Amino acid sequence: MSGMYSYLGLFLCLLSVCSVATSFSSRRVILREVNDNGGDHADYAVELNVTNFDAVLKDTPATYAIVEFFAHWCPACRNYKPYYEKVARLFNGPDAVHPGIILLTRVDCALKINTKLCDKFSVGHYPMLFWGPPTKFVGGGWEPKQEKSSIRVIDDGRTADRLLNWINKQLGSTYGLDDQKFENEHLPSNISDSEQVARAIYDVEEATSTAFDIILEHKMIKPGTRASLIKFLQLLTAHHPSRRCRKGTSELLVSFDDLYPADFETPNRLDDDKGSVKNIKICGKDVPRGYWMFCRGSKNETRGFSCGLWVLLHSLSVRIEDGESQFTFSATCDFVHDFFICEECRQHFYKMCSSVSSPFNKARDYALWLWSTHNKVNERLMKEEASLGTGDPKFPKKIWPPKQLCPSCYLGIDQKNNKIEWNQDEVFRFLTNYYRNTLTALYKDKSIVGNDEAEVAVEDLIVANNAIVVPLGAALAIAFASCAFGALACYWRSRQKSRKYFHRLYSLKTI
């Protein structure tokens, strides 16, 4: 009997110990959650390691990068972090005061995973700061005695003021630690800077992602608008200037029938599908970024999305072939009519679309029509903004292109109508260079465009002249069947050619 009581006592003792341990563990969890909720905001500087170092620096839209090599156990590094963060606040993140100029990053050399990375840059003390174009860090390194390196050591950045002064000397800028968003008095007019124009590719991505976010947020995909969205997706899949956006729109297009079947109607289904569609990032996981670069206005409410959307439409107009001109025209007009949420703008644009009496047969004609339409919009807005004082003082609406950008585009002034007489051949040449060649130049420099041959098959299937909207499931079945037949045909032809070639070679040898 006493033995039984002994066992019972031991059980109760263990139970009490477990209870205390559980209670203590719970308190630790609660304390940890309270501390997490009450912690500081996320760091502005981007933490890098060997696994993402090259990818982040290759993909950033920033012109320059600063990489801080530090060790988390180093007291001087911990003390320096608040200074570094003050400067990073100006340039990093969606609320950056001066976005797209410098990317501030840090690498913890105390982590074993980063040992070889830190060795490549000959890190000899902590913290150690490097400056250079982001792509020069990719796959690169630094040696103390290295000559003509694009990567430089920042030798005077021990406080936030000194680091920002060093940056200002490199850029010829006057940035201050107290600068606030959209209060930059030194915002450059960037329409004639080819490097700035090339960076507009990031704004095109931003505008594309923002447009689809608006469509989903306002539940604008309905049975009556479904076909126009599919047509515009087809256009983007084939001709969007960003490879990331072409990939994202093609993924959405392939799954569109499952997400939005032709007979969907119920609100619940819409909500479910909205969540599913949001899993597809139209232009990549980090877009929209929350800021504009080429299209950034001097005030928060100016330029931005509308500018990015116009750049997208113009870039599409100079990338299409002649046989796609009418399809592009109708896809663009229908998309604006069904999905552009500014009512007055939407109606005004669609009215100009409706005034076109004959179909477009040449890509040149469509590009010039869009250019002329954009100028008409600008003419209307110039008058409204002048009377109401709502325009951007640093980026006023103007007739495009201005004479200083394309003197050869101007023939003169029609005195009777007080209208510009244009050399349309020169205008088209300018549009092609500006919205196609220059726009993608930065991607080519960064090797982001890559080889598009793998995408050609998908693009050829999705976009064609007078394209007909068909169920994607059937289209893919036909595509796979066609590919299989094509592969067999190519194999048969290659065998025939081989036989013919070797037979001919043998015949020549016998002569």
Side-chain angles (χ1 to χ4, degrees):
M1 190 72 173
S2 60
M4 184 179 71
Y5 283 117
S6 297
Y7 284 121
L8 181 60
L10 180 61
F11 172 74
L12 292 173
C13 180
L14 288 171
L15 186 63
S16 64
V17 169
C18 291
S19 175
V20 170
T22 304
S23 174
F24 179 71
S25 175
S26 299
R27 286 199 297 271
R28 288 183 63 189
V29 171
I30 292 171
L31 286 172
R32 186 163 60 245
E33 288 176 351
V34 169
N35 288 337
D36 287 345
N37 291 335
D40 295 333
H41 60 75
D43 293 341
Y44 292 105
V46 179
E47 295 279 352
L48 300 180
N49 58 53
V50 71
T51 64
N52 65 359
F53 186 84
D54 285 354
V56 170
L57 290 167
K58 180 180 178 182
D59 197 36
T60 177
T63 307
Y64 298 98
I66 296 177
V67 180
E68 176 201 5
F69 290 96
F70 75 104
H72 62 260
W73 49 258
C74 166
C77 298
R78 290 198 297 270
N79 293 336
Y80 181 67
K81 182 177 179 180
Y83 297 131
Y84 195 63
E85 283 293 303
K86 282 186 178 180
V87 179
R89 176 193 74 85
L90 300 174
F91 302 101
N92 284 17
D95 295 320
V97 183
H98 309 293
I101 299 171
I102 307 169
L103 177 70
L104 281 86
T105 67
R106 56 165 60 97
V107 175
D108 187 354
C109 293
L111 301 179
K112 288 186 178 181
I113 191 177
N114 294 327
T115 300
K116 290 184 179 179
L117 177 61
C118 297
D119 287 345
K120 285 173 64 177
F121 287 88
S122 306
V123 177
H125 62 267
Y126 302 129
M128 193 170 183
L129 276 64
F130 291 88
W131 163 278
T135 52
K136 298 300 180 181
F137 287 94
V138 177
W142 179 83
E143 295 288 342
K145 297 180 180 179
Q146 186 176 348
E147 296 181 1
K148 298 180 179 179
S149 174
S150 299
I151 298 175
R152 300 172 54 191
V153 175
I154 298 178
D155 52 9
D156 188 19
R158 289 302 181 185
T159 66
D161 285 314
R162 288 166 69 176
L163 176 58
L164 192 57
N165 287 339
W166 192 95
I167 291 171
N168 282 331
K169 288 179 182 178
Q170 311 311 307
L171 301 181
S173 53
T174 56
Y175 300 130
L177 291 174
D178 296 327
D179 288 355
Q180 297 299 316
K181 195 172 184 181
F182 299 110
E183 293 183 3
N184 180 19
E185 294 299 323
H186 307 283
L187 195 68
S189 179
N190 51 14
I191 59 172
S192 59
D193 185 340
S194 60
E195 184 176 340
Q196 294 291 322
V197 176
R199 291 165 68 198
I201 191 74
Y202 295 102
D203 286 350
V204 172
E205 292 179 338
E206 190 79 5
T208 305
S209 295
T210 301
F212 278 92
D213 281 353
I214 292 171
I215 289 170
L216 294 176
E217 182 181 347
H218 293 273
K219 300 180 180 179
M220 300 174 77
I221 306 176
K222 301 172 182 177
T225 63
R226 183 178 177 275
S228 62
L229 183 57
I230 290 176
K231 285 169 64 178
F232 198 68
L233 286 171
Q234 291 172 334
L235 178 61
L236 296 183
T237 299
H239 296 301
H240 199 290
S242 163
R243 183 176 183 177
R244 285 182 292 214
C245 296
R246 292 199 300 275
K247 182 176 183 292
T249 51
S250 67
E251 289 174 354
L252 176 55
L253 192 56
V254 166
S255 57
F256 198 87
D257 274 0
D258 293 330
L259 297 171
Y260 292 95
D263 57 351
F264 81 94
E265 288 183 8
T266 62
N268 290 336
R269 179 58 186 266
L270 277 172
D271 291 337
D272 293 342
D273 289 342
K274 177 180 174 181
S276 301
V277 173
K278 280 208 167 183
N279 293 329
I280 299 176
K281 299 297 183 181
I282 293 294
C283 294
K285 62 180 182 179
D286 298 323
V287 186
R289 303 174 182 88
Y291 59 86
W292 305 94
M293 297 176 62
F294 176 80
C295 286
R296 183 173 182 240
S298 63
K299 297 189 291 185
N300 192 6
E301 65 272 14
T302 59
R303 306 188 81 218
F305 176 60
S306 60
C307 167
L309 193 60
W310 273 116
V311 176
L312 170 61
L313 297 182
H314 284 298
S315 67
L316 292 171
S317 74
V318 295
R319 289 170 63 89
I320 61 172
E321 300 295 332
D322 287 342
E324 299 168 312
S325 53
Q326 181 60 27
F327 174 81
T328 304
F329 167 74
S330 62
T332 301
C333 290
D334 291 344
F335 178 80
V336 172
H337 179 264
D338 290 340
F339 298 106
F340 197 65
I341 204 163
C342 172
E343 181 66 18
E344 183 180 348
C345 307
R346 181 181 69 85
Q347 289 183 359
H348 188 262
F349 187 85
Y350 199 72
K351 183 178 179 181
M352 290 187 287
C353 288
S354 302
S355 67
V356 176
S357 56
S358 56
F360 292 99
N361 296 316
K362 297 285 186 181
R364 172 186 180 277
D365 295 339
Y366 171 68
L368 289 173
W369 174 84
L370 186 67
W371 157 77
S372 176
T373 297
H374 193 174
N375 272 338
K376 289 176 182 177
V377 171
N378 280 349
E379 281 185 301
R380 178 175 61 87
L381 292 177
M382 273 192 290
K383 296 174 183 177
E384 292 179 3
E385 291 177 356
S387 63
L388 299 171
T390 55
D392 190 322
K394 293 190 178 294
F395 298 96
K397 294 285 187 297
K398 59 178 64 178
I399 299 302
W400 188 260
K403 198 166 187 177
Q404 64 266 31
L405 276 188
C406 185
S408 59
C409 293
Y410 287 72
L411 293 176
I413 300 292
D414 183 345
Q415 299 296 335
K416 184 177 180 180
N417 300 315
N418 196 29
K419 294 285 186 181
I420 300 171
E421 293 181 336
W422 298 96
N423 183 333
Q424 294 200 345
D425 289 335
E426 288 298 315
V427 170
F428 180 64
R429 187 176 292 111
F430 170 83
L431 294 173
T432 301
N433 183 62
Y434 196 88
Y435 289 109
R436 185 175 68 189
N437 302 339
T438 306
L439 189 65
T440 56
L442 183 66
Y443 264 23
K444 290 179 180 177
D445 290 344
K446 290 192 167 193
S447 301
I448 296 176
V449 171
N451 185 356
D452 285 344
E453 289 179 3
E455 301 177 48
V456 171
V458 177
E459 294 175 1
D460 286 346
L461 283 171
I462 293 174
V463 176
N465 183 37
N466 298 324
I468 299 172
V469 177
V470 297
L472 262 295
L476 287 175
I478 295 170
F480 283 123
S482 300
C483 288
F485 179 77
L488 289 172
C490 288
Y491 175 74
W492 181 81
R493 288 178 63 188
S494 65
R495 295 289 295 172
Q496 294 299 312
K497 285 182 179 179
S498 297
R499 291 173 184 169
K500 193 178 295 183
Y501 171 77
F502 286 117
H503 174 74
R504 179 170 176 76
L505 224 127
Y506 177 78
S507 301
L508 288 171
K509 285 181 179 180
T510 58
I511 293 176

